[in-house]
């Protein structure tokens, strides 16, 4: 792998000062990673070394879950080392994941967030292409900072990014077996994962009906649209298949119009995205400190198929049986999120065949008590765990930061002893 294809190599990536916060007290890095030898695009990254015993802590790679949101949202408003208040003040996050892991976030895909491409041909059209770019970027990070290569590695993300992470996991495992520099991949953590749209989309309708977001008549209208989606998805005509994504998105919009709720957190009405982080990142001192490239502000040419649409066309079911046999896997759900809800994941898991499938299906959900008090439900067998986090939406880390931090800690330690038997 030719790391010299990245001109950002000649710049220091050490983060020493953060505007609105002050001097950075731990080892932190920020900058750009190339997506391959062609050097046609760069993915932005931020790394925070573990707050305690970094030489023993695993490396956790977080990839943002929505192409319309930057990974910086996770860093400043979920599980990163900092939080940002309305006044622009930055302060430490007591529930940051970097207290337990060496924390690396990568902003993807190209053309979104702080990452950018020099030409439209480098923008990924599929999750397979996005995973290849991530693999190059991760290898470059570990070549530049090799002390983290020996650490156990975990891939985490949410929503449709599960498609990309499943493919990235396979690339890592295949690369490890074919002479590429080793990455010590040990597990996956996927929040409200969207993996098999043909199985999970019906669960969105059922979830909406069970939670009284739609009535019976509206449910039947949604089911009619579901048949249109299935017909388009099964078509041998590629143009017809692409229409399926529009039908799927239309079903979600129909449900939202019926209920007036945010499908990522049904406790609330839809809200306009906050501009707080955007305003912070536009400040010249912040851009200089974080080494943001001005090209990241450009609007990329439209893709023939956006990754958000491809999520409704691709299934990752075939990728998971070998992953479930080789890795620790955690599925977690904010119970108040319709998107990627537990009903759909249950239905999907029932279709898969892996070594411990029958034993896992025999497990009943029991109360999950990470701090002695009930915080949700869990079922687990072997290296597969599934947790439903109560009083949380899609961004469960923001809603229940202490519980989610405990979930991460226990997953890494394979310790879920604090639940009812």
């Amino acid at each position: 792998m030719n790391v010299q294809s990245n001109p950002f190599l000649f710049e220091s990536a050490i983060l020493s000062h953060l505007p609105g916060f002050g001097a950075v007290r731990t080892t932190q890095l920020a900058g750009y990673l190339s997506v391959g030898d062609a050097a046609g695009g760069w993915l932005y990254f931020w790394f925070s070394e573990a707050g305690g015993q970094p030489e023993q802590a695993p490396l956790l790679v977080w990839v943002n879950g929505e192409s319309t949101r930057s990974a910086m949202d996770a860093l400043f408003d979920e599980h990163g080392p900092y939080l940002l208040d309305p006044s622009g003040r930055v302060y430490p996050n007591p529930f940051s994941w970097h207290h337990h892991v060496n924390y690396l976030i990568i902003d993807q895909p190209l053309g979104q967030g702080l990452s950018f491409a020099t030409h439209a041909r480098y923008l990924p059209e599929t999750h397979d292409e996005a995973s290849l770019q991530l693999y190059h970027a991760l290898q470059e990070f570990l070549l530049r900072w090799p002390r983290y290569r020996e650490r156990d590695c975990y891939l985490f993300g949410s929503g449709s990014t599960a498609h990309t992470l499943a493919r990235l996991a396979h690339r890592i495992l295949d690369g490890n077996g074919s002479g590429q520099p080793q990455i010590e991949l040990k597990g996956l953590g996927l929040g409200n994962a969207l993996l098999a749209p043909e199985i999970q989309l019906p669960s969105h309708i059922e979830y909406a009906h069970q939670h009284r977001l739609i009535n019976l008549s509206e449910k039947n209208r949604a089911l009619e649209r579901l048949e249109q989606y299935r017909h388009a998805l099964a078509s041998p005509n590629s143009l017809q298949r692409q229409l399926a994504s529009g039908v799927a998105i239309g079903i979600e919009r129909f449900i939202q119009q019926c209920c007036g709720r945010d499908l990522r957190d049904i406790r609330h009405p839809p809200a306009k995205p906050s501009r707080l982080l955007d305003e912070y990142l536009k400040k010249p001192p912040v851009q200089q400190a974080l080494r943001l490239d001005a090209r990241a502000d450009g609007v990329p040419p439209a893709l023939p198929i956006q990754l958000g649409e491809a999520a409704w066309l691709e299934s990752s079911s075939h990728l998971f049986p070998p992953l479930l046999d080789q890795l620790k896997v955690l599925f977690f759900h904010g119970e108040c999120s319709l998107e990627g809800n537990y009903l759909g994941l249950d239905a999907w898991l029932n279709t898969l065949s892996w070594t411990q499938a029958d034993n896992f299906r025999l497990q009943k959900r029991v109360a999950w008590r990470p701090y002695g008090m009930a915080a949700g439900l869990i079922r687990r067998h072997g290296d597969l765990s599934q947790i439903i986090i109560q009083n949380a939406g899609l961004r469960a880390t923001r809603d229940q930061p202490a519980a989610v931090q405990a979930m991460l800690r226990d997953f890494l330690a394979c310790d879920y002893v604090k639940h009812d038997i």
Side-chain angles (χ1 to χ4, degrees):
M1 192 161 302
N2 179 18
V3 299
Q4 295 303 319
S5 64
N6 186 356
F8 296 100
L9 289 173
F10 301 102
E11 300 179 4
S12 172
I14 297 175
L15 184 64
S16 58
H17 180 272
L18 186 61
F21 178 82
V24 172
R25 302 181 183 92
T26 59
T27 299
Q28 296 191 22
L29 310 166
Y32 287 90
L33 302 167
S34 67
V35 298
D37 293 342
W42 290 271
L43 295 174
Y44 187 79
F45 79 95
W46 185 313
F47 173 80
S48 182
E49 193 172 68
Q53 298 182 315
E55 68 283 354
Q56 299 179 16
L59 173 67
L60 186 145
V61 182
W62 173 268
V63 178
N64 49 306
E66 300 175 65
S67 59
T68 56
R69 291 181 63 241
S70 167
M72 294 295 105
D73 288 292
L75 191 145
F76 282 103
D77 194 30
E78 293 186 42
H79 41 63
Y82 304 108
L83 296 172
L84 182 65
D85 72 15
S87 70
R89 182 179 69 91
V90 180
Y91 60 99
N93 180 3
F95 302 107
S96 171
W97 287 7
H98 91 288
H99 294 304
H100 300 282
V101 297
N102 293 302
Y103 174 86
L104 171 65
I105 66 167
I106 300 179
D107 210 358
Q108 68 89 48
L110 285 183
Q112 302 288 349
L114 302 178
S115 299
F116 67 95
T118 57
H119 193 278
R121 67 176 178 271
Y122 296 109
L123 301 175
E125 298 182 14
T126 66
H127 294 286
D128 194 58
E129 292 178 6
S131 72
L132 179 59
Q133 292 178 347
L134 275 171
Y135 180 68
H136 279 292
L138 181 56
Q139 284 284 18
E140 181 176 292
F141 176 85
L142 295 172
L143 283 171
R144 293 171 67 180
W145 294 281
R147 62 185 176 275
Y148 302 112
R149 185 176 292 279
E150 298 177 359
R151 307 270 58 81
D152 290 347
C153 179
Y154 292 85
L155 306 177
F156 269 67
S158 65
S160 61
T161 299
H163 287 291
T164 299
L165 290 181
R167 287 160 174 78
L168 176 59
H170 273 275
R171 289 191 184 278
I172 291 173
L173 295 174
D174 292 345
N176 288 349
S178 60
Q180 293 296 321
Q182 295 285 301
I183 298 176
E184 298 299 327
L185 182 63
K186 300 300 181 185
L188 287 171
L190 303 174
N192 287 81
L194 290 170
L195 295 160
E198 73 285 0
I199 297 173
Q200 293 180 274
L201 184 57
S203 79
H204 289 195
I205 300 173
E206 183 59 32
Y207 179 98
H209 187 244
Q210 287 188 15
H211 289 78
R212 300 184 180 183
L213 303 179
I214 55 176
N215 59 34
L216 182 58
S217 174
E218 292 163 340
K219 176 183 178 181
N220 289 333
R221 290 170 62 187
L223 289 174
E224 291 175 1
R225 299 187 184 192
L226 179 63
E227 287 306 310
Q228 297 174 12
Y229 166 79
R230 287 170 170 163
H231 178 76
L233 190 65
S235 173
N237 186 300
S238 60
L239 293 177
Q240 185 71 17
R241 288 191 75 250
Q242 289 180 25
L243 295 177
S245 64
V247 177
I249 294 170
I251 291 173
E252 293 207 324
R253 288 175 178 168
F254 171 72
I255 294 173
Q256 188 168 77
Q257 290 169 358
C258 290
C259 66
R261 301 278 95 185
D262 186 342
L263 301 189
R264 294 169 295 184
D265 190 336
I266 62 172
R267 298 171 297 176
H268 307 294
K272 293 183 179 180
S274 171
R275 300 290 301 171
L276 181 63
L277 179 59
D278 290 340
E279 292 171 0
Y280 177 75
L281 294 176
K282 288 182 182 295
K283 296 178 179 179
V286 174
Q287 294 183 344
Q288 182 177 5
L290 302 186
R291 297 171 181 83
L292 304 185
D293 193 283
R295 289 172 289 183
D297 290 333
V299 178
L303 294 175
I305 304 176
Q306 295 288 350
L307 285 181
E309 296 177 345
W312 296 110
L313 303 178
E314 301 180 17
S315 173
S316 297
S317 296
H318 62 290
L319 300 173
F320 270 84
L323 296 180
L324 291 169
D325 282 332
Q326 297 180 65
L327 303 174
K328 292 196 300 182
V329 178
L330 167 66
F331 293 109
F332 57 99
H333 313 263
E335 68 170 352
C336 299
S337 175
L338 176 145
E339 295 186 2
N341 64 73
Y342 54 89
L343 297 176
L345 195 87
D346 287 351
W348 174 72
L349 284 171
N350 286 337
T351 69
L352 295 188
S353 177
W354 75 97
T355 304
Q356 297 296 321
D358 291 340
N359 290 328
F360 180 80
R361 291 176 188 133
L362 291 174
Q363 306 306 309
K364 295 182 179 180
R365 288 194 174 98
V366 295
W368 174 53
R369 303 177 182 276
Y371 286 114
M373 298 179 63
L377 298 172
I378 182 172
R379 66 169 173 161
R380 177 194 177 205
H381 181 81
D383 288 331
L384 175 59
S385 304
Q386 183 188 18
I387 293 178
I388 302 173
I389 305 166
Q390 68 183 23
N391 298 321
L394 181 66
R395 300 175 70 184
T397 308
R398 182 179 61 179
D399 296 331
Q400 300 295 335
V404 174
Q405 187 188 59
M407 177 191 72
L408 172 68
R409 177 201 64 203
D410 294 344
F411 173 66
L412 298 176
C414 297
D415 179 18
Y416 286 113
V417 298
K418 296 179 181 178
H419 55 74
D420 293 344
I421 301 297

